[in-house]
Amino acid sequence: MKLDILAFGAHPDDVELGCSGTIAKEISLGKKVGIVDLTRGELGTRGSVEIRNAESAEATLLLGVSIRENLDMRDGFFVNDETHQMKVIEMIRKYQPEIVLCNAIDDRHIDHGKGSKLVSDACFLSGLRQIETQYEGKKQDAWRPKVVYHYIQWKNIEPDFVVDISDFMEVKMRSILAYSSQFYNPNTNEPESPISSKNFLDSVRYRAQDLGRIIGKDFAEGFTVERYLAVNSLSDLV
């Protein structure tokens, strides 16, 4: 299956937190979108692998993405080396996306920056014909996405562009809340974590509100780029 957009996250729920509004919007416009999680988030303070697998499946259905896969890298300990790059390259060549979305370039969790660079490097390497990969016994063709965009996570990184998600903010929040083990729940006995507070959950909405305010919309998501964005004319800008 060829996809228009492939979103990578170091952990299940990274994509939902960072860019699920944009994903839902693109799907509504007829785009085929997939998600690849690098790890199972097994080192998370709350929940378990089994719980997070079920939560991820629910979020996937809510968003309506075409595929979701997990590369089963080690949470906290994966590195940006040839072995891990080849796993990402196989996914890129399998789905041949025009656009790749990936983790923030710098963030509180060490896996986010690592995942960002790993996916970005793999996107470049995936276009080199001399690197050979196979999927289900068949040689894969080289493929390089046209662009790589990085969503924003914990840190308030200044975006290079923002996407109006005003009509899709509630879909975003539902996909996030599918991970009920991870986020604010006053009735749980689970230990506290940096993302389990009400303040954090509220921050998802007020960040989107603030980015929306700047462009005269209700809600928006921000992204950073690796190279200049190009438009055909000034009228292409909202």
Side-chain angles (χ1 to χ4, degrees):
M1 179 190 301
K2 186 185 183 316
L3 298 175
D4 299 297
I5 301 168
L6 187 57
F8 286 86
H11 314 104
D13 75 25
D14 281 357
V15 168
E16 284 82 358
L17 285 165
C19 62
S20 58
T22 299
I23 285 174
K25 182 173 188 175
E26 293 293 338
I27 291 171
S28 77
L29 296 172
K31 299 294 178 62
K32 286 187 170 60
V33 183
I35 298 174
V36 175
D37 301 307
L38 303 184
T39 78
R40 300 277 173 186
E42 63 269 22
L43 294 183
T45 302
R46 295 154 67 102
S48 66
V49 169
E50 293 75 21
I51 289 171
R52 296 190 76 171
N53 285 346
E55 292 170 344
S56 176
E58 182 181 350
T60 300
L61 288 174
L62 286 168
L63 288 174
V65 296
S66 298
I67 64 94
R68 188 165 199 157
E69 298 204 35
N70 195 299
L71 295 182
D72 287 309
M73 297 179 184
R74 289 184 65 202
D75 188 14
F77 293 99
F78 71 84
V79 293
N80 184 11
D81 65 3
E82 181 179 351
T83 299
H84 293 81
Q85 288 166 357
M86 292 297 280
K87 288 185 177 183
V88 178
I89 289 169
E90 287 172 11
M91 290 293 102
I92 294 167
R93 290 178 173 181
K94 178 180 178 181
Y95 293 112
Q96 299 185 342
E98 304 297 326
I99 298 170
V100 162
L101 308 177
C102 60
N103 286 98
I105 56 174
D106 177 47
D107 214 39
R108 179 191 67 83
H109 197 301
I110 61 171
D111 282 354
H112 296 171
K114 283 193 301 179
S116 173
K117 190 70 168 68
L118 167 61
V119 172
S120 177
D121 287 353
C123 284
F124 175 80
L125 293 170
S126 182
L128 301 180
R129 299 182 182 212
Q130 297 301 325
I131 296 176
E132 295 187 3
T133 57
Q134 290 191 347
Y135 182 75
E136 295 183 343
K138 295 182 180 179
K139 184 179 182 229
Q140 293 181 304
D141 293 330
W143 182 269
R144 183 175 293 144
K146 291 179 180 177
V147 291
V148 178
Y149 299 141
H150 302 263
Y151 47 84
I152 295 170
Q153 298 184 259
W154 182 274
K155 292 185 177 179
N156 287 323
I157 296 172
E158 183 176 354
D160 293 316
F161 70 93
V162 297
V163 177
D164 174 15
I165 62 163
S166 299
D167 294 334
F168 301 91
M169 188 64 196
E170 299 316 312
V171 177
K172 176 184 176 76
M173 294 308 298
R174 287 197 296 272
S175 74
I176 292 169
L177 291 172
Y179 296 89
S180 57
S181 70
Q182 300 302 300
F183 302 111
Y184 177 67
N185 180 356
N187 300 315
T188 186
N189 293 321
E190 290 266 23
E192 292 297 317
S193 77
I195 63 171
S196 68
S197 69
K198 186 175 185 300
N199 186 18
F200 175 79
L201 191 60
D202 289 344
S203 77
V204 175
R205 184 176 289 274
Y206 63 64
R207 170 184 276 164
Q209 280 184 303
D210 193 49
L211 290 174
R213 173 188 63 81
I214 292 169
I215 62 168
K217 303 294 182 180
D218 291 331
F219 298 100
E221 288 175 335
F223 298 84
T224 62
V225 302
E226 298 185 0
R227 62 184 188 186
Y228 288 131
L229 290 173
V231 295
N232 289 321
S233 71
L234 291 178
S235 60
D236 291 335
L237 300 173
V238 176

